[in-house]
Amino acid sequence: MLKLYSFGPAANSMKPLLTLYEKGTPFEGHRLNPAIFEHHQDWFKAINPRGQVPALVDGDKVITESTVICEYLEDEHPGEVKLRPADSYGRAQMRIWTKWVDEYFCWCVSTIGWHRYVGNMVKSLSDEAFEEKVKGIPVFEQQVKWRRAREGFPQDLLDEEMRKIAFSVTRLNDHLADHEWLAGGMFTLADICNFAIANGMNYSFPEMVNEADAPHLVRWINQINARPAVQKMFAEVPMEKLRPQD
């Protein structure tokens, strides 16, 4: 049986989680605890040496990178539910949106999330204890991000990320004004990957994502939340509770 190692149903971990739930593909879920740096422990780095979730184990194969996992599931475990358009043009449009979320949308939202929430997990550690945790992080760029989250991101960086978020909200809202779904006239991996980042933005960024300023984006978020597979995923897979920064 497939094994998926992930955090709770948000951001990159949600992408393959929701893909599996939408497809109805049986899998064995392993939810790691980021508060104790479980994804940086040796047992998990034996699965993914980069110490990052999600990671999918299919027999003797390990597949990493969230969007790549989603595509792999469509290729190797297609099933009755299709999450890619049948035509090449539709698939290309879908991949434009998944590429955009991976290279742009995810990063600006992630930085603000780290600033507001993630850094609090290590604020109480002594400098020595924190550096000991950082030593276990295999990816240098992630070490830098943890240090910045603990110390506080520069204000000019935060301002730029908020500008990018505002641009992202406008782009999604404008496109969804004329389309029910993001690509191919159907619910696809493009919707899953962008929803994984956009869901909850009406709470975390209410000044941007609201019925008055982004009605089409709000409609799309609500429409996806109403899907049976989405409701089942949220009911069965708990979400981490991180305290926001004061």
Side-chain angles (χ1 to χ4, degrees), residues 33-237:
N33 184 355
I36 61 171
F37 287 70
E38 192 172 8
H39 51 309
H40 299 147
Q41 294 178 5
D42 289 343
W43 73 267
F44 181 68
K45 287 190 286 188
I47 297 170
N48 181 7
R50 289 177 62 83
Q52 294 179 308
V53 295
L56 181 75
V57 177
D58 186 4
D60 60 353
K61 300 183 289 290
V62 177
I63 303 91
T64 61
E65 301 299 331
S66 56
T67 301
V68 174
I69 294 173
C70 295
E71 291 265 14
Y72 176 86
L73 289 169
E74 279 293 285
D75 290 333
E76 296 299 319
H77 301 271
E80 295 182 5
V81 176
K82 307 300 181 186
L83 295 172
R84 282 189 306 216
D87 63 296
S88 297
Y89 179 74
R91 289 195 300 272
Q93 295 305 304
M94 180 201 80
R95 289 181 176 126
I96 287 172
W97 282 103
T98 58
K99 177 181 172 66
W100 177 71
V101 72
D102 284 348
E103 296 183 355
Y104 190 94
F105 184 34
C106 173
W107 287 101
C108 52
V109 175
S110 173
T111 298
I112 300 301
W114 276 66
H115 170 67
R116 291 178 177 177
Y117 300 96
V118 178
N120 289 309
M121 293 194 301
V122 293
K123 288 273 173 68
S124 62
L125 294 177
S126 67
D127 291 345
E128 294 77 12
F130 174 70
E131 286 301 323
E132 193 60 34
K133 293 286 188 185
V134 170
K135 285 180 184 177
I137 302 175
V139 180
F140 174 75
E141 289 78 8
Q142 288 297 104
Q143 294 182 9
V144 172
K145 199 167 185 178
W146 273 105
R147 290 192 176 99
R148 276 188 163 179
R150 186 169 188 253
E151 297 165 1
F153 289 91
Q155 189 58 49
D156 60 340
L157 173 62
L158 296 174
D159 291 342
E160 174 61 9
E161 298 299 72
M162 290 298 287
R163 184 198 65 78
K164 289 179 179 178
I165 290 171
F167 170 80
S168 299
V169 168
T170 298
R171 184 183 184 200
L172 284 164
N173 187 67
D174 288 352
H175 182 78
L176 290 165
D178 300 315
H179 303 84
E180 181 180 12
W181 305 111
L182 288 177
M186 60 181 282
F187 182 79
T188 70
L189 297 179
D191 298 287
I192 288 176
C193 292
N194 280 273
F195 174 75
I197 307 303
N199 188 43
M201 287 184 73
N202 49 324
Y203 300 108
S204 53
F205 301 95
E207 72 280 11
M208 301 182 196
V209 183
N210 56 70
E211 291 279 1
D213 297 310
H216 311 295
L217 176 57
V218 171
R219 182 270 305 165
W220 175 81
I221 290 172
N222 290 340
Q223 190 169 320
I224 296 177
N225 269 300
R227 295 176 67 86
V230 176
Q231 296 184 2
K232 188 171 190 289
M233 174 190 68
F234 282 129
E236 295 182 355
V237 185

